[in-house]
């Protein structure tokens, strides 16, 4: 387990954040964020565009060395990050994108690609795949490293609605199998309720709402419990219907 910025250490949690502040110029985009994520817990982070979701994710990923800030955070050493675009290396075949640099790379890469439904595509180039397939490769690449924490920033944001639904099913399955703690950034309220154990809402630099999601599987937007949580979350986002 690794510790960054301050005296926090991880004991029973997978993520600890206390009083996190991140500023661009004079403006505090994050203004005192507190957050703990349990091992294996799936947390979805909602917020309006520009509310600081990516700023928080970048802080957790250790990608914000150029940003002014304070507060404490602790994350595991083994973290994987998935972004909206797959960020595959265009000059490397799919298998190499997944497993480059790993021990037993060939075998583990193939297994991982099979898990995301891409057995047989090992030798394809990234640009021969659809957007959804490229995101599957990105998921395989992150999970093959068995991360303790998976950080995902709108990973399905560029996919069409049908592909996105399929990716939800796949991500649920992968998380059940690998059990990383997950922080998924999304602006899609239904996506957050379908996927997460807990949904949090970021606004004005702070977490302003937190809803545990305790709905029967498979979760259906037609379920009254689903509708009730959706309206609480939309309210927290300042959307009144
Ligand atoms: N590198 C940067 N320099 C200056 N301002 C930034 C930078 N990155 C993000 N911001 C600003 O910080 C705010 C939060 O951005 P971001 O975390 O990307 O929001 P979100 O992911 O919720 O849409 C936005 O107003 C954005 O313009
Ligand atoms: Mg963002």
């Amino acid at each position: 387990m690794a510790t960054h910025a301050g005296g926090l250490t991880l004991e029973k949690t997978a993520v600890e954040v206390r009083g996190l502040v991140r500023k661009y110029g004079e403006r505090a985009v994050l203004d005192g964020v507190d957050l703990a994520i349990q091992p294996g817990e799936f947390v979805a982070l909602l917020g309006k565009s520009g509310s600081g979701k990516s700023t928080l994710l970048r802080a957790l990923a250790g990608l914000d060395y150029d940003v002014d800030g304070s507060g404490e955070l602790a994350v595991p050493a083994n973290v994987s990050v998935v972004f909206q675009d797959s960020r595959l290396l265009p000059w490397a075949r799919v298998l190499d994108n997944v497993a480059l640099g790993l021990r037993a790379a060939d075998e583990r890469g193939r297994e991982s690609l099979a898990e995301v439904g891409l057995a047989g595509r090992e030798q394809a180039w990234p640009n021969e795949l659809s957007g959804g397939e490229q995101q599957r490769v990105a998921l395989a690449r992150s999970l093959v490293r068995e991360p303790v924490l998976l950080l995902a920033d709108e990973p399905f944001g560029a996919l069409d609605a049908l592909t996105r639904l399929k990716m939800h099913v796949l991500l649920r399955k992968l998380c059940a199998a690998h059990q990383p703690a997950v922080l998924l950034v999304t602006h899609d309220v239904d996506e957050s309720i379908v996927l997460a154990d807990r949904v949090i809402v970021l606004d004005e630099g702070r977490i302003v709402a937190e809803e545990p999601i305790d709905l029967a599987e498979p979760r259906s937007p037609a379920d009254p419990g689903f509708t009730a949580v959706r309206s609480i979350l939309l309210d927290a986002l300042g959307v009144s219907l």
Side-chain angles (χ1 to χ4, degrees):
M1 296 282 179
T3 307
H4 302 298
L8 277 186
T9 51
L10 294 171
E11 286 175 16
K12 297 201 172 111
T13 51
V15 170
E16 282 284 348
V17 177
R18 284 194 211 143
L20 196 71
V21 174
R22 289 292 184 267
K23 289 181 173 172
Y24 293 113
E26 283 303 296
R27 181 167 160 240
V29 170
L30 301 180
D31 195 15
V33 170
D34 297 316
L35 174 66
I37 302 180
Q38 306 306 313
E41 187 187 18
F42 196 130
V43 175
L45 173 63
L46 284 173
K48 286 177 245 186
S49 180
S51 60
K53 303 182 297 297
S54 295
T55 302
L56 177 56
L57 188 125
R58 285 165 53 81
L60 291 173
L63 295 171
D64 68 342
Y65 40 84
D66 54 340
V67 183
D68 185 17
S70 59
E72 295 181 294
L73 65 88
V75 295
N78 188 354
V79 178
S80 287
V81 192
V82 184
F83 297 97
Q84 182 165 335
D85 63 291
S86 64
R87 304 199 181 186
L88 300 179
L89 305 170
W91 39 264
R93 294 183 190 272
V94 159
L95 180 61
D96 292 331
N97 262 286
V98 170
L100 209 61
L102 289 181
R103 256 176 281 136
D106 196 76
E107 188 189 339
R108 287 168 67 192
R110 284 173 192 280
E111 268 173 29
S112 193
L113 281 167
E115 245 193 309
V116 299
L118 289 176
R121 307 303 301 277
E122 293 84 2
Q123 299 307 321
W125 299 103
N127 70 7
E128 294 171 338
L129 303 182
S130 70
E133 289 169 334
Q134 290 180 23
Q135 280 308 68
R136 284 171 189 261
V137 176
L139 280 176
R141 178 181 56 186
S142 25
L143 289 168
V144 76
R145 287 164 175 80
E146 296 292 347
V148 177
L149 174 64
L150 175 65
L151 299 170
D153 195 347
E154 311 218 21
F156 312 134
L159 304 178
D160 66 81
L162 190 57
T163 305
R164 200 177 314 155
L165 292 179
K166 289 185 185 163
M167 294 299 276
H168 291 165
V169 175
L170 175 65
L171 184 59
R172 296 273 301 173
K173 186 187 94 176
L174 293 172
C175 287
H178 295 268
Q179 306 210 331
V182 182
L183 183 66
L184 172 95
V185 166
T186 177
H187 57 250
D188 181 334
V189 175
D190 282 12
E191 175 168 287
S192 76
I193 303 171
V194 166
L195 292 174
D197 301 316
R198 179 159 57 108
V199 181
I200 58 179
V201 179
L202 188 63
D203 191 35
E204 305 277 330
R206 288 172 183 256
I207 290 171
V208 296
E210 178 174 8
E211 284 298 316
I213 310 294
D214 188 16
L215 298 170
E217 305 285 339
R219 294 177 180 177
S220 160
D223 177 341
F226 198 112
T227 321
V229 184
R230 184 202 282 128
S231 88
I232 293 170
L233 293 170
L234 285 171
D235 224 31
L237 288 163
V239 182
S240 45
L241 296 177

